[in-house]
Amino acid sequence: MRAQGKQVRHEEEEESAFVSMTDMTVGFLFIMMILLAFFASQARETDTIPRSDYIAVVDQRDRALETLLEREATITLLEQKIEDLEAQLADLRDKLKVVKEERDRLAEQVENLTAENAELLDRLQKSQKTVAKLEQEILEKDQEIKRLKERLARLERRDPLEAYLSNVAHERERIIKDLRDRLLVDFPDLKVELSEESDALRFQGEGLFRTGSDKIVESKRAIISRLAELLNEMLPCYTISKTPMERSNCRAGFIMIETVQIEGHTDNVGRDQTNRPLSANRANSTFFAMTDAANDIMQHLNLKRQPVLSVAAYGSDRPVSTNDTAEGRATNRRIDLRFIMVTPQDTDGIEVIRQALETVGGQE
């Protein structure tokens, strides 16, 4: 009887040690995952690519985002499977505890009864088989959980460049939405929207200019002025600025803007010899209205120490709607404020961006 009690206590101590070691292992893995995520978030890079490569980079980014979404879906499925298996494991442990208690009670009865008590011996043997079966199932579940966690950890180890480019895309969209929302607070009737690629603010031209004119409608000049003020407040977080913000006050994550491009567009009515200069003049009118409203906006520089605010004109080359209807043509007569970000091609560039943004006023 005492021997049996010692054996039970010994088994309980082994089980407790096993559980403690398992908890320690899980905790260690969780800490490692946090450290990996932290180090990944600290990585930075930069390099500037020409416009001709920009579209290719955008395509690569989109494919990277698609791969990331697929990975995140896989991670979600794996996490759900792990959760289900852990629930099954807990249930198996509860069953094992109950069966072990039953086995111990039967063993005690067998010890006190005569050898002829075949029924109790048979029940004890069955209980022992059940314990062995459950312990084997637990071992198999533990091994499967370990394999799934290792796979999950591999999936969560994102490439630093991929993670950075993903952050660039998300941060650019956040910047543009924030500018739009703050403008709409002051001008709730303003016709402004995000581009399809979420890389530009789009102002319908009829709202700022009269047909055939490159002069800003006076009643709309306040919109341009407010836009310049908001942009001037935001740019120090993403540029080399002579009036830099404290990095702790920025949410940029060491992401840098290459160019904020004021783009002029027209519909296809008339000749290109007329439309192209008209789109250029509208873009220039917007540019000068913004620099008049925010005198120091040209002090915000990109990685090449060039002002980020620039002008481009496309005439009727880049419609966003049909030119077959009056409404479509009105949509195409517009000003776009496009944000082109610094997109490095290797991980060394992230550190270059970080150092540039940490440099006060662009001076070492």
Side-chain angles (χ1 to χ4, degrees):
M1 192 71 168
R2 288 194 200 91
Q4 182 65 27
K6 291 180 179 179
Q7 183 180 356
V8 171
R9 287 194 298 275
H10 180 67
E11 290 177 353
E12 292 176 345
E13 291 172 355
E14 288 182 342
E15 182 179 357
S16 175
F18 173 76
V19 172
S20 299
M21 290 179 66
T22 301
D23 291 341
M24 290 174 62
T25 302
V26 171
F28 178 75
L29 288 173
F30 182 71
I31 293 173
M32 289 300 295
M33 289 169 66
I34 292 176
L35 289 174
L36 286 172
F38 173 77
F39 291 138
S41 68
Q42 300 303 301
R44 303 290 179 264
E45 80 178 77
T46 196
D47 200 350
T48 309
I49 62 175
R51 178 77 180 183
S52 61
D53 292 339
Y54 172 70
I55 295 176
V57 173
V58 172
D59 289 340
Q60 293 175 5
R61 177 204 66 194
D62 293 342
R63 290 195 295 272
L65 288 174
E66 182 179 356
T67 300
L68 177 62
L69 291 174
E70 291 174 355
R71 287 185 179 179
E72 290 176 345
T74 303
I75 288 171
T76 301
L77 290 175
L78 290 175
E79 289 175 338
Q80 182 60 48
K81 190 169 183 180
I82 288 173
E83 182 179 349
D84 294 340
L85 288 172
E86 287 178 339
Q88 295 175 25
L89 181 62
D91 184 62
L92 287 172
R93 284 186 171 134
D94 291 339
K95 290 180 180 179
L96 176 61
K97 180 179 179 182
V98 172
V99 174
K100 281 187 174 181
E101 291 174 353
E102 175 68 9
R103 180 198 63 186
D104 294 340
R105 287 194 299 271
L106 292 175
E108 183 177 358
Q109 292 179 32
V110 169
E111 184 178 356
N112 295 330
L113 295 173
T114 63
E116 292 81 38
N117 198 336
E119 181 182 357
L120 287 178
L121 286 175
D122 184 61
R123 289 173 62 187
L124 175 59
Q125 290 173 356
K126 290 180 179 179
S127 295
Q128 289 173 334
K129 290 180 181 180
T130 303
V131 168
K133 180 180 178 181
L134 291 173
E135 287 178 336
Q136 180 61 33
E137 290 183 18
I138 288 174
L139 178 61
E140 292 173 355
K141 297 297 182 184
D142 277 334
Q143 291 174 346
E144 186 173 1
I145 288 173
K146 182 180 179 181
R147 288 194 299 269
L148 291 174
K149 285 184 176 180
E150 289 174 351
R151 183 181 175 190
L152 179 63
R154 288 194 299 270
L155 288 172
E156 289 178 338
R157 287 197 293 268
R158 299 170 61 192
D159 176 76
L161 179 59
E162 177 185 322
Y164 180 82
L165 292 177
S166 175
N167 289 339
V168 168
H170 287 303
E171 187 64 18
R172 174 173 58 187
E173 183 175 358
R174 189 195 67 78
I175 292 169
I176 296 173
K177 285 182 177 179
D178 184 59
L179 283 175
R180 178 200 62 188
D181 294 343
R182 294 178 70 181
L183 274 174
L184 289 175
V185 170
D186 295 329
F187 307 98
D189 297 328
L190 178 64
K191 292 182 179 180
V192 59
E193 59 185 16
L194 268 67
S195 65
E196 292 81 358
E197 299 82 8
S198 296
D199 62 350
L201 267 185
R202 183 161 291 157
F203 298 84
Q204 186 171 326
E206 293 286 57
L208 302 177
F209 300 93
R210 302 188 190 283
T211 302
S213 172
D214 59 15
K215 298 184 182 301
I216 298 174
V217 176
E218 284 302 318
S219 61
K220 305 297 183 180
R221 188 172 293 274
I223 297 172
I224 303 300
S225 298
R226 182 55 178 157
L227 175 63
E229 293 169 358
L230 294 173
L231 191 62
N232 196 37
E233 292 174 5
M234 174 273 294
L235 282 177
C237 274
Y238 306 91
T239 61
I240 300 169
S241 177
K242 293 184 179 180
T243 55
M245 297 177 66
E246 291 292 333
R247 301 310 307 169
S248 59
N249 295 332
C250 296
R251 292 185 292 172
F254 297 109
I255 291 171
M256 198 167 193
I257 293 175
E258 169 67 21
T259 302
V260 178
Q261 192 163 269
I262 304 169
E263 298 179 351
H265 301 268
T266 69
D267 58 30
N268 68 345
V269 176
R271 299 188 310 159
D272 188 55
Q273 289 86 342
T274 301
N275 286 333
R276 196 171 297 275
L278 177 60
S279 66
N281 291 339
R282 284 179 172 179
N284 283 325
S285 294
T286 304
F287 174 87
F288 290 121
M290 291 179 69
T291 55
D292 287 343
N295 295 328
D296 56 350
I297 197 169
M298 295 299 288
Q299 296 179 2
H300 307 303
L301 310 179
N302 60 21
L303 200 58
K304 296 179 181 179
R305 271 51 176 186
Q306 301 166 338
V308 298
L309 194 63
S310 64
V311 173
Y314 295 99
S316 61
D317 292 345
R318 300 188 180 185
V320 294
S321 184
T322 178
N323 278 305
D324 296 334
T325 66
E327 182 179 357
R329 289 190 294 273
T331 300
N332 290 330
R333 295 192 296 271
R334 69 191 191 279
I335 290 292
D336 287 351
L337 188 68
R338 190 172 306 279
F339 288 75
I340 300 173
M341 314 302 285
V342 176
T343 53
Q345 295 181 330
D346 54 51
T347 53
D348 292 339
I350 298 176
E351 180 63 19
V352 174
I353 291 177
R354 185 188 67 79
Q355 292 177 359
L357 289 177
E358 285 183 339
T359 302
V360 177
Q363 302 293 325
E364 297 292 342

